[in-house]
Amino acid sequence: MEDFGQKDGPEQDGISSRAARIQDVAKLADVSTATVSRALATPERVSPEARARVLEAIAKTGYVPNPAARTLRSQKTYMVLVVLPDLANTFFSKILRGIEETLFEAGYGMIISDLDGSPEKEAHFAAFTAAGRVDGAILLNGHLFGQSREGEGKPARITIPLVAACEAIPGVDIPQIEIDNRAAASRMTQHLASHGHRSIAYVSGPAGNILERERFQGFKDGLEAAGLPFDPALVIRGDYTIESGVMAGRNLVARSSRPTAVFCTSDEMAIGLMRTLFSAGLRVPEDISVAGFDDIEFAAVAEPSLTTIHQPRRELGQAAASALIDLLQGRPSPKRIRLETELVIRDSVRRL
């Protein structure tokens, strides 16, 4: 047998002057051609040992699967569209990793759609989906194509399986993977109150966003549970971005009477807010305590480290991809999956 590692191209049983075929891979891996096909299309149906041999044989022979032929035979693309509202938001990084890992194991790839608030992009990807360019879609944007977050407008006609994750879409009969945002926000508010904070500001998400509605209600629930009144003057409008956290920080710095604690409904806003407070000579948590929501990667390394609500983002992505794979392969999928959150206590909140 030739040593493939020493050659410029594949040379196994005379495979040097032609493109490698699936039969060549099967022979080298000592499996059937059907097993090679399954290892590529539905790897979960192949033992890890056989799949490893197939992948090694593919690498040695230089075999390139023909996706066009595969699509024609099966009428499938083996691709999934993942729709994001804003790819720049670091919150989605682990969710995308969970989705990609799970899709890969099932033999699917993914295409990322970054809508970035553009109706033109949304119309493009709606047409892309309606044309059958993907087998299914995972929606992380909180609404169907053609509709607003409030459900206004006529949704685009999409016939492929859909799954929503992170932001639930009310009134839509598709699997939805989420957390209990209301309960999590209430828990954080009560945590601040339990540390003696009686004046707690709230930095919101964007108006109309379902996450914002649930977290705001949770904030009020937490105040009520702690016996504290709700003060509209302590609500500062944000949009989950660092920039809006900076603006919220400036709002607080300009006040003659400040709250003792601030609950930001995203970590990015909390980090932007803390930076602004520091620039104004205020200390966290000595002068004002700050809490966030999401537990993004920067929360643990911020200065001070950020008390926050941990969302199981990787698991959210895995659950969304698994639900879609079930639909694509003809299996039933639960219509609603709620994953648990965790209160992460760090250094940005102090007891009064």
Side-chain angles (χ1 to χ4, degrees), residues 14 44 71 102 115 170 191 209 234 276 293 304-305 318 329 340-341 350:
E44 74 280 1
T71 298
T102 306
L115 297 183
H191 173 71
N209 183 287
L234 292 177
T276 304
F293 198 113
S305 57
Q318 291 170 337
Q329 298 181 355
E340 295 295 323
T341 59
R350 77 179 183 99

Side-chain angles (χ1 to χ4, degrees), residues 144-166:
L144 298 176
F145 285 127
Q147 285 191 316
S148 68
R149 291 178 183 271
E150 294 74 31
E152 298 172 347
K154 184 178 181 180
R157 186 175 182 272
I158 305 294
T159 58
I160 60 173
L162 301 174
V163 170
C166 300

Side-chain angles (χ1 to χ4, degrees), residues 91 166-167 179-186 189 202-205 209-222 240 263-267 269 292-294 309 311:
F91 170 77
C166 300
E167 292 191 43
I179 64 166
D180 191 336
N181 286 277
R182 181 172 177 174
S186 176
T189 306
Y202 174 89
V203 182
S204 77
N209 183 287
I210 189 170
L211 302 182
E212 163 53 24
R213 292 198 299 268
E214 293 181 356
R215 291 176 192 178
F216 182 52
Q217 188 58 55
F219 171 66
K220 293 197 290 186
D221 291 344
Y240 296 149
F263 175 24
C264 298
T265 52
S266 81
D267 288 346
M269 292 196 300
F293 198 113
D294 292 333
I309 294 292
Q311 288 206 59

Side-chain angles (χ1 to χ4, degrees), residues 277-290:
L277 296 180
F278 295 151
S279 297
L282 296 172
R283 301 167 301 164
V284 176
E286 291 83 0
D287 297 320
I288 187 167
S289 290
V290 178

Side-chain angles (χ1 to χ4, degrees), residues 37 41 50 62 75 85 91 113 119 122 133 141 149 179 189 195 212 230 236 255 266 329 332:
S37 294
Q75 297 299 306
F91 170 77
S113 159
E122 183 161 337
R133 304 289 294 275
N141 59 323
R149 291 178 183 271
I179 64 166
T189 306
H195 278 53
E212 163 53 24
F230 169 68
I236 305 171
R255 297 189 180 203
S266 81
Q329 298 181 355

Side-chain angles (χ1 to χ4, degrees), residues 83 102 105 128 135 143 147 227 235 267 270 279-280 340:
V83 182
T102 306
E105 288 299 319
F128 181 91
D135 294 340
H143 64 278
Q147 285 191 316
V235 176
D267 288 346
S279 297
E340 295 295 323

Side-chain angles (χ1 to χ4, degrees), residues 221-242:
D221 291 344
L223 292 176
E224 183 178 358
L228 299 177
F230 169 68
D231 183 357
L234 292 177
V235 176
I236 305 171
R237 184 60 60 194
D239 62 10
Y240 296 149
T241 65
I242 288 179

